[in-house]
Amino acid sequence: MNWDWEKLRENQKKYEQRQGGGPGMPTPPQMDDLLNKFKGFKFSGIFFVAIVIIAVIIATSTVFTIDRSEVGVIQRFGKYNRLAQPGLNFKWPAGIEKVTKVNVREIETEEFGFKTYNGEGSFRASPESSRQEASLMLTGDLNVAVVPWIVQYRRADPRAYLFNVKDVRSLLRDMSEATMRITVGDRSINEVISSRAEIANAAQKMLQREMDNAKAGIGIVNIEMKKTNVPEPVQASFNEVNQATQEKEQTIYRAREEYNKAVPLARGEAKRLIKDAEGYAIDRVNRAQGDATKFKAIYDEYVQAKDVTRKRMYLESMLEVLPKLENKYIIDSDQKNVLPFLNMGAKLSGQTLGKGE
């Protein structure tokens, strides 16, 4: 590039004259020169975008909202600091404080032994090998049972849920399986099949106690046992055993029914006979005592007046005997013409009764 030195010198002279200086004198920078220099400098759009982004990041990282079913766990430099309740909250910018939202009201479900799929309002079980192994359990009477169940829980303590246990879900599944195996192992196969509600309540209490000991921040809401059965290879044999057991129980029930009918009847009859015998004995004793008292009274009267008492006794005896006789024949003891005949009361027809008639 060729420079126009004459033109440059001319411009310099004009500049010195305008400033009132002479040759060799330094000239201070003027406002026009500065403006001209700044006019040549252009601000980049990236600089403004960066400033806006930084401002937005700072604003959004300091203001946050918590849903009504959640709780915010705030950490300051990685250490737990406080809990944020539902609503609008503030914190220090990102890098200083961090918030983790934990849903404390939603009830979650863990399934063991099966997996459900919701399709058009219906649920169906889809067994898998790992789930089947989890549901195979040994009962107290050394039988194998298929015990599917579900565990419903919620995050009761957000701080403990986040910081005390590394993998809360794995701990919950392992402890649930161990708890259910202990509970089922204390009962027979029939109890496991028929007493599912009782087993579920016992397992819930035990599981909650174990989760509290682990400080996992989990609250067990409910444990529900699904249909319990035996493995398919032994299903037929198990049904036969159940049928035989039911027949045995029916036979015992019928025998007890007959027993309850016959034994009370026999006991009642025995008591009746005993009461009759006791009444008869009392009657005989009372009669004997009465007869003895009567005889003694008569004897006392007889001793005092023998003739009168003897006649009275005779008359009373005849008064008792005579009404019982059908035909009565009264004969004077001084009568000499009447011969005595046998069978005087018999009816004779067409025959004479004796000589002298």
Side-chain angles (χ1 to χ4, degrees):
M1 179 177 180
N2 296 326
W3 296 91
D4 191 353
W5 294 102
E6 293 180 358
K7 188 176 181 179
L8 290 173
R9 289 191 186 118
E10 184 178 358
N11 292 334
Q12 185 177 2
K13 289 179 180 179
K14 291 179 179 180
Y15 178 78
E16 289 176 355
Q17 291 176 0
R18 188 170 56 251
Q19 297 295 332
M25 295 182 62
T27 58
Q30 300 298 319
M31 184 60 67
D32 295 336
D33 296 335
L34 294 177
L35 291 177
N36 291 332
K37 289 181 180 180
F38 278 105
K39 286 181 181 179
F41 183 78
K42 298 180 180 179
F43 288 98
S44 176
I46 300 176
F47 178 74
F48 290 103
V49 172
I51 293 176
V52 172
I53 291 175
I54 293 174
V56 170
I57 292 175
I58 293 175
T60 55
S61 63
T62 55
V63 179
F64 62 96
T65 58
I66 301 295
D67 189 72
R68 60 182 180 180
S69 62
E70 297 176 337
V71 172
V73 180
I74 299 178
Q75 298 171 254
R76 180 176 295 175
F77 298 111
K79 184 179 179 180
Y80 170 79
N81 183 263
R82 65 187 183 275
L83 292 177
Q85 299 303 322
L88 184 64
N89 293 271
F90 300 91
K91 68 178 185 63
W92 288 102
I96 300 177
E97 288 186 345
K98 173 186 175 182
V99 60
T100 303
K101 299 178 181 180
V102 179
N103 194 318
V104 295
R105 293 188 179 182
E106 180 182 1
I107 296 178
E108 298 189 8
T109 302
E110 290 291 335
E111 299 173 342
F112 300 85
F114 68 101
K115 187 176 182 180
T116 56
Y117 297 91
N118 188 2
E120 298 181 358
S122 61
F123 291 86
R124 62 183 179 90
S126 176
E128 299 177 2
S129 59
S130 60
R131 291 187 172 88
Q132 286 181 340
E133 292 178 359
S135 61
L136 287 176
M137 299 185 183
L138 187 66
T139 61
D141 55 356
L142 302 181
N143 284 303
V144 178
V146 179
V147 185
W149 78 99
I150 63 173
V151 177
Q152 295 178 331
Y153 68 95
R154 63 182 181 87
R155 302 172 182 88
D157 188 348
R159 178 181 180 183
Y161 175 79
L162 290 178
F163 304 118
N164 290 347
V165 179
K166 181 178 180 181
D167 192 347
V168 178
R169 185 172 181 270
S170 297
L171 175 66
L172 176 64
R173 292 191 64 87
D174 294 340
M175 294 306 301
S176 299
E177 184 175 348
T179 300
M180 187 59 68
R181 291 187 182 276
I182 292 174
T183 307
V184 171
D186 293 338
R187 291 166 173 80
S188 64
I189 183 66
N190 292 329
E191 292 176 337
V192 173
I193 294 176
S194 60
S195 304
R196 291 183 294 175
E198 178 184 353
I199 296 175
N201 291 333
Q204 179 180 351
K205 294 179 181 178
M206 185 181 299
L207 179 59
Q208 184 64 68
R209 184 167 59 251
E210 295 299 331
M211 298 305 292
D212 292 341
N213 293 336
K215 298 180 180 180
I218 293 296
I220 306 300
V221 178
N222 184 35
I223 292 182
E224 180 182 354
M225 293 183 63
K226 299 299 182 180
K227 184 179 180 180
T228 304
N229 212 328
V230 296
E232 293 183 1
V234 297
Q235 183 68 49
S237 300
F238 183 76
N239 292 336
E240 293 179 359
V241 172
N242 286 338
Q243 185 177 359
T245 302
Q246 292 176 1
E247 292 177 356
K248 175 185 174 182
E249 292 178 353
Q250 290 177 359
T251 304
I252 294 174
Y253 176 79
R254 287 194 295 266
R256 287 179 178 175
E257 184 178 3
E258 294 296 331
Y259 173 86
N260 292 333
K261 289 180 179 179
V263 171
L265 183 62
R267 288 177 179 174
E269 185 66 18
K271 289 182 179 180
R272 186 187 66 80
L273 293 176
I274 292 173
K275 293 296 182 181
D276 291 344
E278 291 176 351
Y280 179 77
I282 293 173
D283 180 70
R284 295 292 293 178
V285 170
N286 292 337
R287 286 177 178 272
Q289 290 178 353
D291 293 342
T293 302
K294 180 181 178 181
F295 179 79
K296 185 177 180 182
I298 295 173
Y299 177 75
D300 292 339
E301 295 295 331
Y302 179 78
V303 171
Q304 295 177 3
K306 294 182 178 181
D307 294 337
V308 176
T309 305
R310 186 184 296 112
K311 290 181 180 180
R312 181 178 177 182
M313 292 176 63
Y314 172 78
L315 293 175
E316 289 178 354
S317 297
M318 295 305 293
L319 183 63
E320 184 180 354
V321 171
L322 289 177
K324 299 179 181 180
L325 299 177
E326 294 181 359
N327 299 323
K328 306 176 182 63
Y329 300 93
I330 302 173
I331 300 174
D332 187 2
S333 60
D334 296 334
Q335 183 68 32
K336 303 296 184 180
N337 296 329
V338 179
L339 296 177
F341 288 92
L342 296 175
N343 299 325
M344 294 179 64
K347 295 181 180 179
L348 300 176
S349 61
Q351 298 180 1
T352 58
L353 297 177
K355 294 179 179 181
E357 187 177 270

